[in-house]
Amino acid sequence: MDEVKIVVAHSERATLRVGNVFLKVDADQARLDVEVEAMALAPIPTPEVLWRKPPVLAITALPGTTLGRLGGPSAGSPAAWAAAGAAIRKLHDAPPPSWPGRAGRSIVALAAELDDECESLVTNGFLPADLVTRNRQVAEAALRPWTPAFTHGDLQIAHVFVDGDEVTGIIDWSEAGHGDALYDLAAFTLGHEEHLDDVIAGYGTGIDLDVIHAWWSLRSLLAVRWLIEHGFDPFSPGCEVDVLRSQM
């Protein structure tokens, strides 16, 4: 019998692996609805849906290995990062879904959420005021009009699989929808700025580096408190707090 491995688990959802099958358990059925539909629409490789019985979704494992993880080294070659950039561009150029994703929040709503979170980070002693203030200034560049694209919404490097220099697929589509393409690129290169040029080589034109840096700050500011409250450590080397410090 295959061993049951806990991939990730917190109060909102959990993912288990049994052999070559992943079982995603989510009390929010809307997230699973988005995941299934987004994978069906995406013009790049995604896991196969085996069955669905709420609150569980069963999908196949992808071949290859992930490019790495936040806070850890990347085993991917420059060519693999460029191939990932090309795959992301193919996704962004596809007709966008009808619904907004995580990368599609309105500028007004996002600015309000960011201001509230910055105040909470300082008031509750999570981060020093100068660090928060500086990164809030950097984040401002992300709050601008954008053309809706087909976005993944949570495109961290642990969700991108490669075999050699070929992308074999992308997982975890529950935050997908139409949104700002540069949000995806920033999420993908968060904590791995050294590979940004490789990603751009594969992705092509249309990248504003100031906006990428802004999304690094914005995403990290919004993540710190949630991560702490759900048992994760954003203070680990190379993770969100180090990303914020790098902007000082």
Side-chain angles (χ1 to χ4, degrees), residues 211-227:
V211 176
I212 295 291
H213 283 266
W215 274 123
W216 286 342
S217 288
L218 200 158
R219 180 180 170 95
S220 297
L221 286 169
L222 293 183
V224 167
R225 183 173 58 86
W226 186 94
L227 290 168

Side-chain angles (χ1 to χ4, degrees), residues 61-78:
L62 289 172
T65 58
T66 65
L67 270 172
R69 62 178 178 82
L70 183 63
S74 167
S77 66

Side-chain angles (χ1 to χ4, degrees), residues 62-69 73-76 81 156-163 168-169 171:
L62 289 172
T65 58
T66 65
L67 270 172
R69 62 178 178 82
S74 167
W81 281 85
Q156 52 186 290
I157 61 171
H159 293 161
V160 179
F161 282 70
V162 296
D163 186 0
T168 58
I171 64 171

Side-chain angles (χ1 to χ4, degrees), residues 125-164:
F126 289 108
L127 294 174
D130 61 339
L131 184 64
V132 172
T133 299
R134 170 56 183 161
N135 278 274
R136 176 62 182 86
Q137 292 169 347
V138 174
E140 187 67 25
L143 304 175
R144 87 281 178 229
W146 39 264
T147 301
F150 192 149
T151 54
H152 179 278
D154 189 20
L155 198 59
Q156 52 186 290
I157 61 171
H159 293 161
V160 179
F161 282 70
V162 296
D163 186 0

Side-chain angles (χ1 to χ4, degrees), residues 177-228:
H178 67 250
D180 180 3
L182 295 189
Y183 178 93
D184 271 356
L185 289 173
F188 183 60
T189 54
L190 184 75
H192 289 277
E193 184 175 359
E194 71 276 11
H195 292 293
L196 180 57
D197 286 344
D198 299 324
V199 174
I200 292 173
Y203 187 85
T205 60
I207 297 176
D208 185 329
L209 294 181
D210 287 340
V211 176
I212 295 291
H213 283 266
W215 274 123
W216 286 342
S217 288
L218 200 158
R219 180 180 170 95
S220 297
L221 286 169
L222 293 183
V224 167
R225 183 173 58 86
W226 186 94
L227 290 168
I228 293 171

